[in-house]
Amino acid sequence: MPPLPVWFRYSPKNSYSIAALLPLVEAGLAREPRSGIMLYSLATAQAEEVYAEVDRARSVGAVDAVYVAGGPHPSALPEEALEHFDFVVIGEGEETLPELLRTIREGSNPSAVSGIACKVEGLVRITEKRPAVNLDLYPPFSNILAPIEISRGCPWGCTYCQTSRLFGTCMRHRSISVIERYARRHKDIRFTSPNSLAYGSDGRKPRLDKVEALLKALAGQKKQKPIYFGTFPSEVRPEFVTQEALELITKYCANKSISLGGQSGSPAVLHRIGRGHGREEIERACELSLDHSLVPQVDFIFGLPDESVVDQRLTLDLVRWIVSKGGKVRAHRFTPLPGTPLWGRQAAPLAEDVQASLGRLALEGRLTGSWSRDHSHE
Ligand code: SF4
């Protein structure tokens, strides 16, 4: 009997995960459930829709499939995901997924596979945790091009963020030679990282020698291509933005901007969410970036739990200061994410004057994002 075909449920929202896992799994791409083994990677924003799709496919019975979920949402809530799926891959999929697929195809005991959740005689069983993977052993992509993931894991554990919970607090890095090899396939070179300027470091203390070695190697490639570092889809922590760091970016990269995680203008909120930096670091990073002709693009979260009107006005002041200097701001509404300390917490209501000011800044084209249920300006 031929082995069960494997399908990744493709959507533009999960293309980076599929790009990373496709080289490890012989699978096709599907835009709807197909018979065989159906793989889904999902974040919280997609959970409801994905669960409904899987439930529909199961109830109609036209698709004979085993359903496997992975990604940040099922990893944090495996019991919930198992109400819809047969298996959950918890955390990193590089080693777990190929082993689970082999087990399913061979019909052997899935509880022997580390790093998964499944149901055994109706009860949820979570198997032994798997150690973090060595990124160099796995390609960042194959057929589907994606920005190169240079680092994984983050020591900061900000209370609203899933990164440290999903990938651990120990920062790991791809080696320069592997990054170089995959960069040859890109027309312009972009990266993903919890903090690009932490490349080569423990995530707390920069190792600019390692950042320079990386950028120098990429800039020295035979076929020269623009390099974008510390910009979308990655960002940098403000205290990593120093004169020396920016000199490296302006020397080797094509950036005209730099993406900074600011999150709040209130020292009390920054402290509460465990950012490990204050408001001054955000201001200094913006000023230094502008001095180096890089437009700071700063992310802020509005409505963090227990945020007072005073906190919100402090953030708004900082937003105004940044745009007055020529920077840009992207505002987000707080969304509780499973697996984080703020899961289950309500977003604080947004003060009317703050909401109105954000709306005015958006209309003037100086702010983008989505900071309340009714306002979204992309
Ligand atoms: S928000 Fe950034 S710095 Fe904080 S834990 Fe997440 S990735 Fe790390």
Side-chain angles (χ1 to χ4, degrees):
M1 218 172 61
L4 283 176
V6 181
W7 304 99
F8 272 113
R9 173 65 167 92
Y10 179 83
S11 96
K13 300 229 165 72
N14 65 11
S15 65
Y16 293 174
S17 324
I18 292 182
L21 293 171
L22 206 51
L24 311 172
V25 173
E26 225 175 90
L29 300 182
R31 289 184 184 264
E32 61 190 2
R34 307 271 297 258
S35 294
I37 304 177
M38 275 303 300
L39 309 177
Y40 285 74
S41 174
L42 56 141
T44 303
Q46 295 105 46
E48 217 175 289
E49 205 180 313
V50 167
Y51 290 161
E53 177 175 300
V54 172
D55 291 349
R56 220 168 23 246
R58 281 186 185 285
S59 69
V60 172
V63 180
D64 183 14
V66 176
Y67 292 88
V68 180
H73 190 84
S75 292
L77 296 176
E79 288 90 351
E80 178 194 282
L82 285 176
E83 287 168 21
H84 313 271
F85 283 83
D86 300 298
F87 299 98
V88 174
V89 170
I90 299 176
E92 298 174 324
E94 280 92 347
E95 287 171 5
T96 310
L97 184 59
E99 194 182 322
L100 175 63
L101 292 179
R102 246 189 335 271
T103 307
I104 296 172
R105 280 171 154 169
E106 288 166 0
S108 33
N109 177 14
S111 341
V113 178
S114 301
I116 67 154
C118 58
K119 277 194 177 165
V120 179
E121 292 170 3
L123 295 177
V124 172
R125 173 156 160 64
I126 296 178
T127 64
E128 197 187 343
K129 199 172 172 210
R130 218 175 255 272
V133 303
N134 173 352
L135 290 181
D136 266 355
L137 298 181
Y138 301 97
F141 57 78
S142 62
N143 298 343
I144 299 180
L145 287 191
I148 306 167
E149 186 189 26
I150 53 172
S151 310
R152 198 183 277 182
C154 179
W156 292 96
C158 305
T159 56
Y160 56 87
C161 173
Q162 289 174 311
T163 299
S164 310
R165 283 97 200 166
L166 192 63
F167 297 129
T169 51
C170 174
M171 209 168 181
R172 292 159 277 151
H173 310 278
R174 272 205 167 85
S175 65
I176 293 174
S177 58
V178 174
I179 297 170
E180 256 192 297
R181 192 174 335 133
Y182 285 91
R184 285 188 205 120
R185 302 200 28 208
H186 280 287
K187 283 206 187 77
D188 51 34
I189 307 171
R190 292 177 195 268
F191 310 95
T192 58
S193 166
N195 175 10
S196 298
L197 283 171
Y199 178 72
S201 78
D202 62 1
R204 292 194 179 270
K205 235 173 144 246
R207 286 291 308 267
L208 291 180
D209 55 327
K210 306 251 183 182
V211 174
E212 173 149 37
L214 170 65
L215 295 178
K216 199 171 177 180
L218 293 172
Q221 286 193 321
K222 219 189 278 164
K223 210 164 167 200
Q224 286 204 348
K225 296 158 181 186
I227 303 169
Y228 295 90
F229 195 79
T231 182
F232 182 81
S234 133
E235 64 175 27
V236 297
R237 285 179 56 87
E239 79 279 20
F240 277 65
V241 177
T242 57
Q243 175 95 8
E244 299 72 31
L246 293 171
E247 277 166 11
L248 293 181
I249 292 180
T250 49
K251 181 172 175 188
Y252 294 107
C253 305
N255 299 31
K256 295 282 174 265
S257 65
I258 185 161
S259 300
L260 304 173
Q263 318 309 2
S264 178
S266 156
V269 172
L270 286 169
H271 178 72
R272 235 181 2 251
I273 61 178
R275 282 293 292 174
H277 65 75
R279 178 181 169 122
E280 312 71 52
E281 282 85 348
I282 305 171
E283 292 170 351
R284 199 173 318 124
C286 290
E287 279 179 330
L288 274 172
S289 303
L290 289 162
D291 288 349
H292 287 78
S293 305
L294 292 170
V295 175
Q297 305 212 336
V298 193
D299 278 328
F300 286 99
I301 305 172
F302 283 88
L304 282 154
D306 304 322
E307 188 181 69
S308 66
V309 177
V310 173
D311 294 321
Q312 291 176 2
R313 289 187 185 138
L314 282 169
T315 303
L316 180 63
D317 280 349
L318 184 52
V319 166
R320 285 204 182 107
W321 179 83
I322 292 169
V323 297
S324 75
K325 295 257 175 190
K328 292 194 171 154
V329 167
R330 194 173 156 79
H332 305 265
R333 175 78 170 155
F334 165 72
T335 310
L337 294 175
T340 69
L342 295 184
W343 172 235
R345 297 293 309 275
Q346 292 271 320
L350 215 55
E352 270 178 35
D353 59 314
V354 173
Q355 195 150 310
S357 300
L358 292 174
R360 271 196 299 278
L361 288 168
L363 287 175
E364 291 162 12
R366 297 195 285 169
L367 173 135
T368 56
S370 175
W371 56 90
S372 80
R373 262 173 241 105
D374 316 319
H375 295 83
S376 173
H377 293 259
E378 295 302 329

